[in-house]
């Protein structure tokens, strides 16, 4: 489903506001993983959002494997690795950890890489309730797989969780089951200077597709490009 642009951005903005400021501000992690964390998730899933918020706040990048309902690409892999189809599912290749349960994943990320305790918006009932409200504003967006062509290499997205525009780009990546390296560039994030040096300005979402050499800003443009290039 595609909404008129105004409604698209407005509902995404409501999702952001529902999370009361989570997923916006980055603080340097105590440790950075040597190898990219791997997250099996999908947009629209309130539990997955809590983990993506934590990644932004901990200033951590991750390899995202979208697992929307009806997905045939990464869902089976997640089940083979973890034993069940439940999302989010985190794999930390740095120590072999495999975790279900959003609260446990958030606690693990904060303890392992943040060296600090998560706040009340990061895990627990308030986090889950606010994330469910956020999902309610974009029902099913990014949650159901659509037929797609497979890219040879993962795409790359510069984003932060609270951005209403980045959400629009991530939803399309999720629906098309396109794997991507998520570069989190929350406010004050350490990666911002390098990102600006590369892209020319501090604006997200920013998509790089190594399969075609295309690089672009603008959520509507990114959605169109992904649908035209990978939608079947
Ligand atoms: N208590 C779990 C709940 C996770 C959960 O129910 N996730 C849903 C998606 S929002 C799920 O995996 N559903 C099964 C499916 O999508 O096949 C958590 O916090 O991680």
């Amino acid at each position: 489903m595609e909404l008129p642009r105004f409604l698209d951005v407005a509902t995404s903005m409501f999702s952001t506001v529902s999370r009361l400021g989570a997923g916006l501000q980055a603080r340097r992690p105590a440790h950075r993983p040597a190898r990219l964390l791997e997250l099996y998730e999908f947009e629209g899933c309130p539990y997955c959002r809590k983990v993506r918020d934590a990644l932004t706040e901990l200033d951590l990048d991750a390899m995202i494997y979208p697992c929307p309902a009806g997905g045939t690409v990464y869902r089976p892999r997640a089940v083979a690795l973890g034993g069940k189809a439940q999302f989010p599912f985190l794999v930390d290749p740095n120590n072999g950890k495999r975790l279900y349960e959003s609260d446990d994943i958030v606690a693990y990320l904060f303890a392992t890489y943040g060296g600090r305790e998560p706040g009340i918006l990061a895990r627990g009932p308030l986090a889950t309730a606010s994330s469910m409200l956020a999902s309610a504003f974009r029902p099913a967006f990014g949650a159901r797989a659509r037929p797609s062509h497979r890219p040879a290499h993962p795409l790359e997205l510069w984003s932060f969780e609270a951005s209403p525009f980045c959400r629009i780009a991530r939803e399309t990546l999720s629906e098309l089951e396109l794997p991507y390296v998520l570069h989190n560039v929350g406010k004050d994030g350490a990666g911002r200077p390098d990102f600006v040096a590369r892209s020319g300005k501090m604006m997200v979402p920013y998509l790089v597709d190594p399969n075609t050499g295309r690089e672009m800003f603008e959520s509507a443009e990114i959605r169109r490009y992904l649908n035209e290039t990978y939608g079947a």
Side-chain angles (χ1 to χ4, degrees):
M1 178 173 58
E2 200 153 322
L3 296 173
R5 178 70 177 163
F6 166 74
L7 262 185
D8 206 17
V9 174
T11 51
S12 190
M13 189 75 82
F14 286 138
S15 296
T16 292
V17 171
S18 307
R19 280 294 279 144
L20 307 166
L24 178 66
Q25 186 76 33
R27 266 175 55 189
R28 307 292 150 98
H31 309 287
R32 282 195 189 276
R35 296 171 63 192
L36 273 181
L37 300 166
E38 296 167 14
L39 182 62
Y40 294 77
E41 57 87 61
F42 56 92
E43 279 288 331
C45 163
Y47 307 102
C48 304
R49 177 179 298 103
K50 287 157 60 183
V51 174
R52 295 193 309 267
D53 275 329
L55 290 172
T56 293
E57 291 171 20
L58 292 167
D59 207 22
L60 297 173
D61 293 350
M63 183 70 217
I64 303 293
Y65 294 115
C67 298
T72 55
V73 185
Y74 298 111
R75 275 197 166 232
R77 188 197 283 188
V79 174
L81 287 171
K84 57 182 172 180
Q86 181 179 302
F87 308 96
F89 172 55
L90 180 85
V91 175
D92 187 341
N94 299 284
N95 54 21
K97 281 257 185 215
R98 295 173 183 185
L99 287 148
Y100 287 107
E101 290 299 328
S102 53
D103 279 353
D104 293 346
I105 297 172
V106 168
Y108 167 79
L109 291 172
F110 271 83
T112 309
Y113 296 111
R116 63 186 199 271
E117 282 293 310
I120 57 165
L121 279 176
R123 70 190 287 255
L126 181 59
T128 302
S130 59
S131 193
M132 282 180 166
L133 182 60
S135 289
F137 284 110
R138 310 273 298 168
F141 280 62
R144 182 156 289 283
R146 291 190 279 125
S148 60
H149 303 296
R150 311 307 322 144
H153 305 285
L155 284 66
E156 295 190 63
L157 183 75
W158 278 259
S159 164
F160 60 91
E161 183 59 29
S163 159
F165 303 102
C166 295
R167 180 170 298 112
I168 290 168
R170 291 194 311 265
E171 285 168 350
T172 310
L173 288 162
S174 181
E175 289 166 9
L176 297 175
E177 299 180 84
L178 299 173
Y180 61 100
V181 178
L182 175 66
H183 298 282
N184 269 308
V185 282
K187 305 275 181 222
D188 298 330
R192 283 195 167 209
D194 282 352
F195 170 59
V196 172
R198 173 190 182 132
S199 70
K201 57 182 171 184
M202 185 54 236
M203 192 168 98
V204 287
Y206 183 68
L207 181 84
V208 170
D209 186 348
N211 303 287
T212 60
R214 291 289 303 276
E215 309 200 354
M216 70 193 76
F217 292 104
E218 293 297 335
S219 54
E221 173 84 3
I222 291 172
R223 177 156 59 192
R224 190 176 320 112
Y225 167 77
L226 292 173
N227 282 331
E228 285 173 6
T229 311
Y230 296 108

